[in-house]
Amino acid sequence: MKLLSSFKKELILASRGFYFYVELIFALVILAVLLFAIPQNFSGTSTEYLYFNLPQEGKEIFKNIILEDDLDTKSEMVEIKAGGKTFNAELIVTDESEIYIVNSEEAVRMLAETHRNIGAVLELDDNNQLHYKYYLQGYESTRLKNLISILFNESTDVLKERIENQDVRPLSTGYEPLNDRENTIPPLVAFSGSLMGMFIMASYIFLDKKEGVIKAYAVTASSVWQYLMSKIFVVLLTSVVSGIIITMPVMGFSINYGLLLLLLLTTGFFASSLGLLIASFYNDLVKAFGVIYLILILMMVPSIAYFIPGWDPVWIKIIPSYPMLQGFKEIILPNGDIAYPLIASAGFLTAGIVLFAITNIRFKKTLSV
Amino acid sequence: MIKVEGLYYSYSNDDNFAVKDVSFEVAEGEIFGFLGPSGAGKSTTQGILTGLLQLQKGNASVAGYDIKNISRKMFNKIGMSFEQSNVYSKMTAKENLSFYSKLFDVETRDPIELINLVGLGGKENIKTGEFSKGMKHRLTFARSMINNPSMWFLDEPTTGLDPAIAADIKDIIKEHNNKGVTVFLTTHNMFIADELCDRVAFIVDGVIKLIDSPKILKLQYGKKLVEVEYVQDGNVKKETFSTIMQKDKDLLNQIIADKEILTMHTKEATLEEIFIKVTGRGLV
């Protein structure tokens, strides 16, 4: 009853405060970005500029080869600007690239420089052999540069044959990857739904410390843990609401919302207990900001590993946001591992209980007159 | 109602004690004043007795509960009015009191009744963030009565209030005391202590220097003289008479009988004068 009364009071305070709406508005902004700014799949289309410094016959041969890959097997005459000049070009659009065939090497060089894309000039050398000149940007990967180097030292037929003869055996089957939009959800839910709770919780406590109401609560027949837990309930509520706001419009009903709710609640409990513990050491947000900022930065490191699967060192796995991200990912994966979010939830619940117990002792010990 | 023995407290957990070897008892139904200048150890002692500060050394019990292992049930019996008002500024006066009324296991008072009692009638639905300092202080005072406490801790209950409202607060304290409520009053205002307290303790630098009733202290430390202003032959005369010497007593009786008396004061000491005499310190 006392806990319920405290929770109702916290809801009233939160609804009349600033932070409650910040989290929800933030979730709506993230949703808008997800739906309208992040495509389902990032485009892998590249733009290239070509100039065939060849006899007309040679030009036609190369152009016709490229045209075979054009989406409608027709080229389009366009004008393209670079360096204050307008160049005429023939545009061929394939699945993988937009190729502009221009009429001079100057056009290739200026377009490549202005639009920061790759350009190439095909011409005949003194021995009437094909000569390739590339205009690169300098930041291309070594792999691409090496590929370009060997491409013209090996017969393309040999390369094609070798690729086709490679024996590729998938070791993991039944795995359906997420599209780019879906793949962005776990870090957004983890940070706006769960980790934001740490900051919001600390803010709530500092507001109370400023008003001195903790002391007034401490001389009632209600326990300090009920006061702290009622605040956690409010943060959990906003975490769940913002997590659902971000997830549901994108994922629909294709995921296990029970599991999502469980992970949102346990990670939110952990994060808000951490926020409480931090708040127990300081009297105002300004003094605590440095620590909160450092923890948030640390928590963001696993998101780098999340987006760069090739970089996944062991030490990063002990940062709590790592299992958060992976847990949310497993929940939204079509064939995700249910055990992972369950184990992660158990871990966050346990860690949250330990942090909460320490915080409760600290709050009782650090009350002042 | 309160029993304290050999109480020590250090904020830095060393020998730099804020209160040192403090011992006293408060009887049920008594108003006990804890008087001293800022930083004397008044609020620290009160903080320990209300569980806000952890007992480090010594023994203390309040309303029958051992302070070493405080039971939450103890708070059903005690009320605490803080010197610094501490109410939720985003909640109305009524919401504040209603919320606190649900945190006790005993029958609580009607928030509106308490709001009216402290002169905030009509302001119950205004957010306390819009209240003046004095209004917040009155609401903090009202909140301390929400659970009908039998042990009432009051920390500077009239600080920052205008004289009329301070008088009302004093009347409320007296009224509750008459109903049997024990009051532990922490203040540096000697006039309030003099008016309200059955006994007072003088505390300076964490040490209790003296405990006694204001009346006895004034008799003990006051001069046994009477100062009289009277009219004689159209002129105002002022004379001081001993209340011990027979000659002065006779003269005083004669003046009272024959002359028009303008003013007459006994030259008893004020609590503040006694405090300075006993402790060698002022109250600021």
Side-chain angles (χ1 to χ4, degrees), chain B residues 134-172:
Chain B
M135 289 162 78
K136 283 182 191 169
H137 195 78
R138 276 185 276 166
L139 189 65
T140 303
F141 178 75
R143 187 185 60 201
S144 69
M145 294 180 271
I146 195 87
N147 56 326
N148 290 303
S150 54
M151 177 71 241
W152 202 9
F153 289 92
L154 301 173
D155 194 355
E156 305 285 1
T158 57
T159 299
L161 300 180
D162 65 57
I165 294 166
D168 288 344
I169 296 290
K170 277 185 275 183
D171 288 343
I172 294 169

Side-chain angles (χ1 to χ4, degrees), chain A residues 42 66 75 96 137 139 151 153 170 197 205 207 219 275 291 320 323 330 336 348 354:
Chain A
F42 288 109
I66 301 168
S75 64
E96 295 173 348
Q137 298 300 321
Y139 48 70
L151 198 58
N153 294 321
I205 293 292
L207 279 176
V219 292
V291 172
E330 292 297 341
F348 282 117
V354 171

Side-chain angles (χ1 to χ4, degrees), chain B:
Chain B
M1 200 62 156
I2 297 177
K3 192 172 183 184
V4 176
E5 284 175 345
L7 195 70
Y8 285 81
Y9 190 86
S10 167
Y11 286 97
S12 46
N13 281 312
D14 54 19
D15 288 343
N16 190 16
F17 293 108
V19 291
K20 283 177 267 188
D21 197 20
V22 165
S23 301
F24 62 90
E25 284 185 35
V26 179
E28 196 170 343
E30 186 179 16
I31 299 183
F32 186 81
F34 216 52
L35 316 180
S38 299
K42 307 186 298 287
S43 295
T44 302
T45 306
Q46 194 175 54
I48 296 166
L49 297 178
T50 52
L52 289 172
L53 297 176
Q54 298 220 324
L55 183 68
Q56 292 175 344
K57 190 178 171 188
N59 296 303
S61 67
V62 173
Y65 290 92
D66 188 351
I67 295 298
K68 266 183 188 159
N69 299 299
I70 291 181
S71 161
R72 297 313 300 174
K73 287 179 184 172
M74 179 184 93
F75 294 99
N76 287 319
K77 290 188 174 180
I78 73 167
M80 170 79 196
S81 179
F82 295 87
E83 181 182 7
Q84 302 289 334
S85 51
N86 47 7
V87 291
Y88 288 103
S89 61
K90 290 193 178 86
M91 289 167 76
T92 66
K94 188 183 168 189
E95 284 171 340
N96 262 285
L97 296 194
S98 296
F99 163 61
Y100 280 98
S101 71
K102 295 185 179 81
L103 300 181
F104 296 93
D105 308 308
V106 291
E107 196 179 333
T108 52
R109 293 176 74 169
D110 177 21
I112 297 294
E113 176 211 336
L114 287 176
I115 287 168
N116 289 333
L117 186 66
V118 295
L120 291 173
K123 305 274 194 293
E124 58 270 17
N125 293 320
I126 296 174
K127 283 184 193 167
T128 62
E130 295 170 30
F131 276 16
S132 69
K133 202 175 167 185
M135 289 162 78
K136 283 182 191 169
H137 195 78
R138 276 185 276 166
L139 189 65
T140 303
F141 178 75
R143 187 185 60 201
S144 69
M145 294 180 271
I146 195 87
N147 56 326
N148 290 303
S150 54
M151 177 71 241
W152 202 9
F153 289 92
L154 301 173
D155 194 355
E156 305 285 1
T158 57
T159 299
L161 300 180
D162 65 57
I165 294 166
D168 288 344
I169 296 290
K170 277 185 275 183
D171 288 343
I172 294 169
I173 296 169
K174 280 180 198 165
E175 190 186 318
H176 280 70
N177 178 245
N178 289 337
K179 289 177 185 169
V181 174
T182 308
V183 180
F184 186 87
L185 175 70
T186 306
T187 186
H188 65 270
N189 186 325
M190 294 293 167
F191 297 106
I192 289 166
D194 192 4
E195 202 175 332
L196 292 175
C197 296
D198 298 311
R199 284 190 307 142
V200 292
F202 290 168
I203 183 167
V204 173
D205 296 333
V207 178
I208 289 183
K209 301 286 185 184
L210 174 154
I211 300 177
D212 218 324
S213 77
K215 190 176 175 183
I216 291 172
L217 287 172
K218 282 190 272 189
L219 286 173
Q220 191 178 339
Y221 289 90
K223 293 171 188 168
K224 302 193 184 320
L225 298 172
V226 175
E227 195 176 77
V228 183
E229 265 187 319
Y230 62 95
V231 180
Q232 185 174 23
D233 302 327
N235 298 318
V236 176
K237 285 193 76 176
K238 192 175 181 179
E239 284 189 71
T240 303
F241 302 96
S242 166
T243 56
I244 303 166
M245 291 169 66
Q246 192 54 48
K247 184 186 162 195
D248 276 22
K249 283 162 87 176
D250 293 341
L251 270 171
L252 181 62
N253 280 333
Q254 198 178 336
I255 287 169
I256 291 168
D258 300 340
K259 311 289 182 193
E260 182 191 350
I261 305 294
L262 295 176
T263 62
M264 186 160 68
H265 299 287
T266 53
K267 289 288 285 179
E268 63 189 19
T270 65
L271 263 187
E272 186 159 1
E273 286 167 342
I274 298 167
F275 185 92
I276 292 166
K277 194 177 272 184
V278 171
T279 66
R281 295 274 297 272
L283 277 163
V284 182

Side-chain angles (χ1 to χ4, degrees), chain A residues 98-112:
Chain A
E98 290 182 349
I99 301 163
Y100 292 88
I101 299 171
V102 294
N103 300 319
S104 68
E105 184 170 348
E106 185 205 3
V108 169
R109 192 179 57 74
M110 289 190 75
L111 286 166

Side-chain angles (χ1 to χ4, degrees), chain A residues 251-263:
Chain A
M251 300 307 300
F253 294 97
S254 64
I255 63 168
N256 185 337
Y257 279 98
L259 213 51
L260 178 70
L261 192 66
L262 178 70
L263 193 59

